[in-house]
Amino acid sequence: MPNTQDLENICTQVRRDILRMVHKVNSGHPGGSLGCTEFLVALYYTIMERKDQFDMDGLGEDIFFLSNGHISPLFYSVLARNGYFPIEELNTFRLIDSRLQGHPTTHEGLPGVRIASGSLGQGMSVAIGAAQAKKLNNDPHLIYSLHGDGELQEGQNWEAMMYAAANQVDNLIATVDLNGQQIDGATDDVLPMGNLKDKFEAFGWSVTVIEEGNSIEAILEGMAEAKSKTGEGKPVCVLLKTVMGHGVDFMMHTHAWHGKAPNDEQLAIGLAQNPETLGDY
């Protein structure tokens, strides 16, 4: 199992992948991808129990659903670096006839992708259904999901949250990327959501807060705490406080890079801040 330094090195390479993919086609969403890098790397390399071979049933293993599908550059990089498909295929990001579309889709047949997640607000419902299927199959493994904080402005999430608590879906850990930014500005300016911890708890969920969402050590500790809360009759929420654009100084703390690609000069600066560790594709 990789140690903390190994995971940090992987994060650096994944950030390079994100920047290069988005730059090549002048399209994509680097901000949230960079901000959630530590989380997804920790999840796939350490936290989840996964089988070597991918299948859509996911029996006998933990399953992950990406709800905020626009951070696909991160998702694709982590999947490729974990051997789900050739790393060289990252060269095809957002190209016509590529399996690596801007938002993940199942009809492309890409290993690791279980749902299409271009439309925001739907991943919570899917994750809950999968968690209940685990229970019906007497499979003790967990369902993990990731959601944007701006995404929670979609009402379907709150219906799903009520349902999960009412039905004691306690084998689900839903993580919210709490970076305070969305495509049109700060979430507090677009549509304030108040105290999410209090709201999830009022809806009958257990909540773990990870204050340093760009720290591998904090994520491992926080997710271990969240896992310890499963099986107790309540679904589990993790509020992951990240920085949008983390790891590239001019992209940090602003919604401006939610969905904008770097130019040649900006790419060079970003890559210089994230030296090659595992080898570029």
Side-chain angles (χ1 to χ4, degrees), residues 80 92 126 210 281:
T92 71
V126 175
I210 301 178
Y281 58 86

Side-chain angles (χ1 to χ4, degrees), residues 204-221:
W205 287 55
S206 293
V207 179
T208 290
V209 179
I210 301 178
E211 295 287 349
E212 298 179 54
N214 293 112
S215 162
I216 288 290
E217 291 182 347
I219 290 169
L220 294 177
E221 180 180 346

Side-chain angles (χ1 to χ4, degrees), residues 67-208:
S67 186
N68 48 336
H70 56 276
I71 66 169
S72 62
L74 166 62
F75 193 30
Y76 295 150
S77 172
V78 170
L79 290 177
R81 296 285 172 182
N82 273 275
Y84 283 84
F85 56 87
I87 295 173
E88 294 76 17
E89 194 168 349
L90 297 178
N91 273 307
T92 71
F93 176 66
R94 279 185 175 250
L95 297 181
I96 294 176
D97 295 328
S98 170
R99 297 194 296 177
L100 278 59
Q101 290 301 304
H103 297 77
T105 60
T106 50
H107 75 268
E108 303 293 350
L110 190 67
V113 176
R114 299 181 184 278
I115 61 168
S117 52
S119 297
L120 295 174
Q122 300 179 2
M124 182 78 74
S125 300
V126 175
I128 291 167
Q132 289 191 300
K134 286 282 189 194
K135 287 177 174 286
L136 290 172
N137 289 324
N138 295 314
D139 184 342
H141 288 84
L142 300 175
I143 301 297
Y144 292 88
S145 59
L146 179 62
H147 314 262
D149 49 1
E151 181 184 7
L152 294 187
Q153 294 162 354
E154 296 278 2
Q156 180 174 340
N157 291 292
W158 301 91
E159 296 178 60
M161 286 156 53
M162 285 190 291
Y163 176 91
N167 288 275
Q168 298 184 329
V169 183
D170 57 1
N171 56 338
L172 167 66
I173 300 178
T175 298
V176 178
D177 175 22
L178 207 61
N179 62 26
Q181 307 290 334
Q182 59 190 102
I183 192 168
D184 292 325
T187 53
D188 282 345
D189 293 334
V190 177
L191 183 62
M193 289 177 288
N195 189 316
L196 285 177
K197 182 176 186 293
D198 287 351
K199 286 187 175 181
F200 269 93
E201 289 177 342
F203 272 64
W205 287 55
S206 293
V207 179
T208 290

Side-chain angles (χ1 to χ4, degrees), residues 203-269:
F203 272 64
W205 287 55
S206 293
V207 179
T208 290
V209 179
I210 301 178
E211 295 287 349
E212 298 179 54
N214 293 112
S215 162
I216 288 290
E217 291 182 347
I219 290 169
L220 294 177
E221 180 180 346
M223 294 303 290
E225 175 188 317
K227 187 174 181 179
S228 73
K229 295 179 178 179
T230 60
E232 297 182 350
K234 293 183 177 183
V236 180
C237 168
V238 174
L239 296 178
L240 182 74
K241 297 185 179 181
T242 70
V243 174
M244 178 170 278
H246 185 80
V248 180
D249 57 8
F250 61 87
M251 292 186 176
M252 294 171 65
H253 303 288
T254 173
H255 74 282
W257 292 94
H258 172 95
K260 182 173 70 172
N263 60 31
D264 292 349
E265 180 181 357
Q266 291 163 334
L267 174 66
I269 295 171

